[in-house]
PDB file of all heavy atoms in Angstrom:
ATOM      1  N   SER A 797      -6.968  41.427 106.538  1.00 98.00           N
ATOM      2  CA  SER A 797      -5.814  40.586 106.820  1.00 98.00           C
ATOM      3  C   SER A 797      -5.927  40.099 108.263  1.00 98.00           C
ATOM      4  O   SER A 797      -6.776  40.626 109.037  1.00 98.00           O
ATOM      5  CB  SER A 797      -4.528  41.414 106.661  1.00 98.00           C
ATOM      6  OG  SER A 797      -4.443  42.437 107.670  1.00 98.00           O
ATOM      7  N   GLY A 798      -5.082  39.155 108.605  1.00 98.00           N
ATOM      8  CA  GLY A 798      -5.038  38.681 109.978  1.00 98.00           C
ATOM      9  C   GLY A 798      -4.672  39.817 110.911  1.00 98.00           C
ATOM     10  O   GLY A 798      -5.296  40.001 111.972  1.00 98.00           O
ATOM     11  N   MET A 799      -3.704  40.640 110.522  1.00 98.00           N
ATOM     12  CA  MET A 799      -3.289  41.782 111.331  1.00 98.00           C
ATOM     13  C   MET A 799      -4.411  42.813 111.470  1.00 98.00           C
ATOM     14  O   MET A 799      -4.541  43.464 112.515  1.00 98.00           O
ATOM     15  CB  MET A 799      -2.001  42.434 110.800  1.00 98.00           C
ATOM     16  CG  MET A 799      -0.729  41.656 111.044  1.00 98.00           C
ATOM     17  SD  MET A 799      -0.526  40.922 112.710  1.00 98.00           S
ATOM     18  CE  MET A 799      -0.586  42.358 113.763  1.00 98.00           C
ATOM     19  N   ILE A 802      -6.531  41.422 114.190  1.00 98.00           N
ATOM     20  CA  ILE A 802      -5.879  41.516 115.521  1.00 98.00           C
ATOM     21  C   ILE A 802      -5.879  42.983 115.997  1.00 98.00           C
ATOM     22  O   ILE A 802      -6.258  43.264 117.140  1.00 98.00           O
ATOM     23  CB  ILE A 802      -4.432  40.932 115.472  1.00 98.00           C
ATOM     24  CG1 ILE A 802      -4.487  39.425 115.141  1.00 98.00           C
ATOM     25  CG2 ILE A 802      -3.711  41.210 116.778  1.00 98.00           C
ATOM     26  CD1 ILE A 802      -3.165  38.804 114.790  1.00 98.00           C
ATOM     27  N   TYR A 823       3.299  35.664 116.826  1.00 98.00           N
ATOM     28  CA  TYR A 823       3.686  36.033 115.488  1.00 98.00           C
ATOM     29  C   TYR A 823       4.384  37.413 115.546  1.00 98.00           C
ATOM     30  O   TYR A 823       3.941  38.284 116.314  1.00 98.00           O
ATOM     31  CB  TYR A 823       2.460  36.075 114.570  1.00 98.00           C
ATOM     32  CG  TYR A 823       2.671  36.741 113.254  1.00 98.00           C
ATOM     33  CD1 TYR A 823       3.676  36.297 112.411  1.00 98.00           C
ATOM     34  CD2 TYR A 823       1.885  37.791 112.828  1.00 98.00           C
ATOM     35  CE1 TYR A 823       3.892  36.898 111.180  1.00 98.00           C
ATOM     36  CE2 TYR A 823       2.113  38.404 111.597  1.00 98.00           C
ATOM     37  CZ  TYR A 823       3.133  37.962 110.788  1.00 98.00           C
ATOM     38  OH  TYR A 823       3.350  38.543 109.583  1.00 98.00           O
ATOM     39  N   THR A 826       2.365  40.664 115.529  1.00 98.00           N
ATOM     40  CA  THR A 826       1.536  40.829 116.706  1.00 98.00           C
ATOM     41  C   THR A 826       2.372  41.341 117.873  1.00 98.00           C
ATOM     42  O   THR A 826       1.963  42.243 118.618  1.00 98.00           O
ATOM     43  CB  THR A 826       0.835  39.496 117.085  1.00 98.00           C
ATOM     44  OG1 THR A 826       0.230  38.961 115.924  1.00 98.00           O
ATOM     45  CG2 THR A 826      -0.193  39.658 118.209  1.00 98.00           C
ATOM     46  N   GLU A 866      -1.736  32.760 121.111  1.00 98.00           N
ATOM     47  CA  GLU A 866      -2.006  31.887 119.946  1.00 98.00           C
ATOM     48  C   GLU A 866      -2.265  30.493 120.498  1.00 98.00           C
ATOM     49  O   GLU A 866      -1.476  30.025 121.352  1.00 98.00           O
ATOM     50  CB  GLU A 866      -0.831  31.949 118.994  1.00 98.00           C
ATOM     51  CG  GLU A 866      -0.678  33.324 118.356  1.00 98.00           C
ATOM     52  CD  GLU A 866       0.705  33.588 117.723  1.00 98.00           C
ATOM     53  OE1 GLU A 866       1.531  32.658 117.633  1.00 98.00           O
ATOM     54  OE2 GLU A 866       0.926  34.742 117.318  1.00 98.00           O
ATOM     55  N   ASN A 870       3.141  30.419 117.110  1.00 98.00           N
ATOM     56  CA  ASN A 870       3.978  30.655 115.962  1.00 98.00           C
ATOM     57  C   ASN A 870       5.277  31.226 116.525  1.00 98.00           C
ATOM     58  O   ASN A 870       5.219  32.288 117.136  1.00 98.00           O
ATOM     59  CB  ASN A 870       3.279  31.627 115.005  1.00 98.00           C
ATOM     60  CG  ASN A 870       4.117  31.882 113.763  1.00 98.00           C
ATOM     61  OD1 ASN A 870       5.188  31.349 113.593  1.00 98.00           O
ATOM     62  ND2 ASN A 870       3.574  32.706 112.886  1.00 98.00           N
ATOM     63  N   ASP A 903      -5.570  33.664 118.917  1.00 98.00           N
ATOM     64  CA  ASP A 903      -5.278  33.519 117.489  1.00 98.00           C
ATOM     65  C   ASP A 903      -5.184  32.005 117.193  1.00 98.00           C
ATOM     66  O   ASP A 903      -4.292  31.329 117.681  1.00 98.00           O
ATOM     67  CB  ASP A 903      -3.959  34.258 117.207  1.00 98.00           C
ATOM     68  CG  ASP A 903      -3.563  34.169 115.731  1.00 98.00           C
ATOM     69  OD1 ASP A 903      -3.953  33.213 115.038  1.00 98.00           O
ATOM     70  OD2 ASP A 903      -2.799  35.051 115.290  1.00 98.00           O
ATOM     71  N   THR A 905      -4.842  30.588 114.155  1.00 98.00           N
ATOM     72  CA  THR A 905      -4.366  30.399 112.752  1.00 98.00           C
ATOM     73  C   THR A 905      -3.622  29.109 112.560  1.00 98.00           C
ATOM     74  O   THR A 905      -3.889  28.402 111.556  1.00 98.00           O
ATOM     75  CB  THR A 905      -3.498  31.615 112.358  1.00 98.00           C
ATOM     76  OG1 THR A 905      -4.231  32.802 112.503  1.00 98.00           O
ATOM     77  CG2 THR A 905      -3.023  31.480 110.924  1.00 98.00           C
ATOM     78  N   PHE A 906      -2.677  28.779 113.424  1.00 98.00           N
ATOM     79  CA  PHE A 906      -1.898  27.537 113.225  1.00 98.00           C
ATOM     80  C   PHE A 906      -2.769  26.301 113.349  1.00 98.00           C
ATOM     81  O   PHE A 906      -2.607  25.359 112.576  1.00 98.00           O
ATOM     82  CB  PHE A 906      -0.758  27.480 114.287  1.00 98.00           C
ATOM     83  CG  PHE A 906       0.558  27.941 113.781  1.00 98.00           C
ATOM     84  CD1 PHE A 906       0.661  29.017 112.968  1.00 98.00           C
ATOM     85  CD2 PHE A 906       1.725  27.286 114.169  1.00 98.00           C
ATOM     86  CE1 PHE A 906       1.921  29.470 112.524  1.00 98.00           C
ATOM     87  CE2 PHE A 906       2.996  27.708 113.734  1.00 98.00           C
ATOM     88  CZ  PHE A 906       3.066  28.799 112.924  1.00 98.00           C
ATOM     89  N   SER A 925      -6.044  34.352 110.690  1.00 98.00           N
ATOM     90  CA  SER A 925      -5.554  34.950 109.444  1.00 98.00           C
ATOM     91  C   SER A 925      -6.100  34.068 108.339  1.00 98.00           C
ATOM     92  O   SER A 925      -5.655  32.897 108.199  1.00 98.00           O
ATOM     93  CB  SER A 925      -4.047  34.961 109.429  1.00 98.00           C
ATOM     94  OG  SER A 925      -3.624  35.167 108.088  1.00 98.00           O
ATOM     95  N   THR A 927      -5.583  34.395 105.382  1.00 98.00           N
ATOM     96  CA  THR A 927      -4.514  34.318 104.338  1.00 98.00           C
ATOM     97  C   THR A 927      -3.886  32.912 104.304  1.00 98.00           C
ATOM     98  O   THR A 927      -3.306  32.551 103.277  1.00 98.00           O
ATOM     99  CB  THR A 927      -3.401  35.366 104.685  1.00 98.00           C
ATOM    100  OG1 THR A 927      -4.023  36.573 105.084  1.00 98.00           O
ATOM    101  CG2 THR A 927      -2.479  35.631 103.527  1.00 98.00           C
ATOM    102  N   LYS A 928      -3.930  32.207 105.384  1.00 98.00           N
ATOM    103  CA  LYS A 928      -3.163  30.969 105.543  1.00 98.00           C
ATOM    104  C   LYS A 928      -3.973  29.738 105.067  1.00 98.00           C
ATOM    105  O   LYS A 928      -4.417  29.721 103.955  1.00 98.00           O
ATOM    106  CB  LYS A 928      -2.692  30.863 107.008  1.00 98.00           C
ATOM    107  CG  LYS A 928      -2.035  32.154 107.507  1.00 98.00           C
ATOM    108  CD  LYS A 928      -0.760  32.385 106.792  1.00 98.00           C
ATOM    109  CE  LYS A 928      -0.212  33.809 106.898  1.00 98.00           C
ATOM    110  NZ  LYS A 928      -0.553  34.597 108.060  1.00 98.00           N
ATOM    111  N   MET A 937      -5.520  37.634 100.755  1.00 98.00           N
ATOM    112  CA  MET A 937      -5.313  37.998 102.147  1.00 98.00           C
ATOM    113  C   MET A 937      -6.673  38.199 102.837  1.00 98.00           C
ATOM    114  O   MET A 937      -7.608  38.658 102.195  1.00 98.00           O
ATOM    115  CB  MET A 937      -4.507  39.281 102.264  1.00 98.00           C
ATOM    116  CG  MET A 937      -3.128  39.127 101.680  1.00 98.00           C
ATOM    117  SD  MET A 937      -1.893  40.132 102.465  1.00 98.00           S
ATOM    118  CE  MET A 937      -1.683  39.350 104.031  1.00 98.00           C
ATOM    119  N   GLY A 938      -6.710  37.888 104.097  1.00 98.00           N
ATOM    120  CA  GLY A 938      -7.953  38.095 104.830  1.00 98.00           C
ATOM    121  C   GLY A 938      -7.760  37.767 106.303  1.00 98.00           C
ATOM    122  O   GLY A 938      -6.776  37.167 106.670  1.00 98.00           O
ATOM    123  N   LEU A1067       2.087  30.471 105.433  1.00 98.00           N
ATOM    124  CA  LEU A1067       1.942  29.090 105.860  1.00 98.00           C
ATOM    125  C   LEU A1067       0.521  28.609 105.509  1.00 98.00           C
ATOM    126  O   LEU A1067      -0.363  29.379 105.145  1.00 98.00           O
ATOM    127  CB  LEU A1067       2.144  28.975 107.381  1.00 98.00           C
ATOM    128  CG  LEU A1067       1.218  29.823 108.250  1.00 98.00           C
ATOM    129  CD1 LEU A1067       0.213  29.003 108.988  1.00 98.00           C
ATOM    130  CD2 LEU A1067       2.075  30.634 109.262  1.00 98.00           C
ATOM    131  N   ARG A1101      11.134  26.729 110.421  1.00 98.00           N
ATOM    132  CA  ARG A1101       9.657  26.433 110.397  1.00 98.00           C
ATOM    133  C   ARG A1101       9.276  25.880 109.086  1.00 98.00           C
ATOM    134  O   ARG A1101       9.660  26.417 108.019  1.00 98.00           O
ATOM    135  CB  ARG A1101       8.931  27.734 110.668  1.00 98.00           C
ATOM    136  CG  ARG A1101       7.476  27.516 111.001  1.00 98.00           C
ATOM    137  CD  ARG A1101       6.739  28.843 111.120  1.00 98.00           C
ATOM    138  NE  ARG A1101       6.407  29.413 109.821  1.00 98.00           N
ATOM    139  CZ  ARG A1101       5.754  30.577 109.629  1.00 98.00           C
ATOM    140  NH1 ARG A1101       5.410  31.312 110.638  1.00 98.00           N
ATOM    141  NH2 ARG A1101       5.496  30.998 108.406  1.00 98.00           N
TER     142      ARG A1101
HETATM  143  C1  LIG B1157      -0.286  33.204 113.800  1.00 54.90           C
HETATM  144  C2  LIG B1157      -0.485  34.351 112.872  1.00 54.90           C
HETATM  145  N1  LIG B1157      -1.372  35.275 113.196  1.00 54.90           N
HETATM  146  C3  LIG B1157      -1.632  36.347 112.383  1.00 54.90           C
HETATM  147  C4  LIG B1157      -0.886  36.555 111.254  1.00 54.90           C
HETATM  148  C5  LIG B1157      -1.147  37.756 110.419  1.00 54.90           C
HETATM  149  O1  LIG B1157      -1.912  37.415 109.306  1.00 54.90           O
HETATM  150  P1  LIG B1157      -1.945  38.300 107.934  1.00 54.90           P
HETATM  151  O2  LIG B1157      -0.605  38.087 107.308  1.00 54.90           O
HETATM  152  O3  LIG B1157      -3.080  37.721 107.198  1.00 54.90           O
HETATM  153  O4  LIG B1157      -2.107  39.708 108.363  1.00 54.90           O
HETATM  154  C6  LIG B1157       0.057  35.612 110.881  1.00 54.90           C
HETATM  155  C7  LIG B1157       0.880  35.803 109.658  1.00 54.90           C
HETATM  156  O5  LIG B1157       1.789  35.086 109.362  1.00 54.90           O
HETATM  157  C8  LIG B1157       0.290  34.508 111.719  1.00 54.90           C
HETATM  158  O6  LIG B1157       1.224  33.590 111.459  1.00 54.90           O
END
Side-chain angles (χ1 to χ4, degrees):
S797 67
M799 285 317 299
I802 296 168
Y823 168 54
T826 309
E866 292 162 8
N870 182 0
D903 179 335
T905 301
F906 262 39
S925 162
T927 316
K928 312 292 162 28
M937 298 211 70
L1067 58 108
R1101 194 185 79 179

